[in-house]
Amino acid sequence: EASVSVATPGNPFQALPSIDGCWVFVSITRGATESSAIALYRRSAGTLAFVRELRLAGSPAGMALTSDGKLLVVADNDRVAFIDADRLIAGQGSAIMGYLIDTTAKGRVYANVTADNKYAFIADENSATVSIIDLDKARATGFAPSSTVGKIATGAAPIALTFSPDQRLIYVTSQRAPASYRWPIECKREANNP
């Protein structure tokens, strides 16, 4: 089949394949009384089979894998979770390497990682910023807030983060541009239609 539907143990936000495509990480949110999680699925013979879940504090949303497939970076509402992908797949020991909590960043919803694995960019939806995390510094400091080396101001509710092919630019979607741009609230219609 061209597509497969599978049940998830909660509300799925994002599905992200491993580098080799054999595994799929799914961020799962649940109600206030149950822990949210990263669900792990094995892809084989055209199907997805649930293997296990890793319970997380917070509410995991967008995720990104480093280019070597070793580190899973998860935007997790008021924190960023760092997960050892190999440990999660193997089911050995705690795969949670740590959490970075920055009290100035609210509503962390999407993540992306530079191709050289040096920086993670996190969309702080409720703070109208994108946080930049130095991944080497984060590991060395036990994921201390000082690992956040910069913030980019955005319009209201930044969400998706995509790098240009040469990695020199990052494109960020927002629900509304900053007022200082003086852009109209509604864009003009295309073509000749007034």
Side-chain angles (χ1 to χ4, degrees):
E1 297 293 322
S3 65
V4 175
S5 294
V6 296
T8 59
N11 299 316
F13 188 92
Q14 181 184 2
L16 181 67
S18 61
I19 298 299
D20 63 8
C22 296
W23 302 92
V24 178
F25 307 100
V26 180
S27 52
I28 301 290
T29 58
R30 295 190 176 109
T33 60
E34 288 187 79
S35 296
S36 294
I38 301 298
L40 178 67
Y41 289 81
R42 181 168 179 74
R43 191 176 72 81
S44 178
T47 64
L48 284 174
F50 176 78
V51 176
R52 72 180 56 85
E53 68 177 43
L54 175 67
R55 300 265 174 140
L56 292 180
S59 183
M63 305 176 288
L65 265 175
T66 52
S67 62
D68 60 6
K70 303 259 181 217
L71 180 65
L72 182 64
V73 179
V74 183
D76 194 15
N77 195 21
D78 63 344
R79 67 196 78 216
V80 179
F82 296 89
I83 297 168
D84 184 311
D86 290 338
R87 279 193 213 154
L88 178 55
I89 290 168
Q92 299 173 342
S94 176
I96 300 171
M97 298 169 67
Y99 293 101
L100 189 154
I101 298 173
D102 177 351
T103 58
T104 66
K106 305 292 182 199
R108 299 187 130 171
V109 68
Y110 274 96
N112 209 333
V113 176
T114 56
D116 61 7
N117 300 327
K118 290 187 177 188
Y119 298 98
F121 286 69
I122 309 295
D124 309 320
E125 183 177 17
N126 298 336
S127 300
T129 58
V130 172
S131 294
I132 305 162
I133 299 169
D134 180 320
L135 292 175
D136 289 336
K137 187 174 182 180
R139 288 182 188 104
T141 63
F143 306 99
S146 62
S147 306
T148 301
V149 295
K151 291 190 185 271
I152 302 168
T154 67
I159 303 177
L161 309 162
T162 302
F163 293 107
S164 62
D166 63 4
Q167 299 271 301
R168 295 184 68 216
L169 300 171
I170 187 166
Y171 302 99
V172 181
T173 59
S174 294
Q175 290 181 4
R176 188 176 302 150
S180 62
Y181 288 5
R182 297 186 180 162
W183 288 358
I185 296 297
E186 184 177 328
C187 296
K188 293 179 182 177
R189 293 181 183 209
E190 295 179 5
N192 295 326
N193 187 343

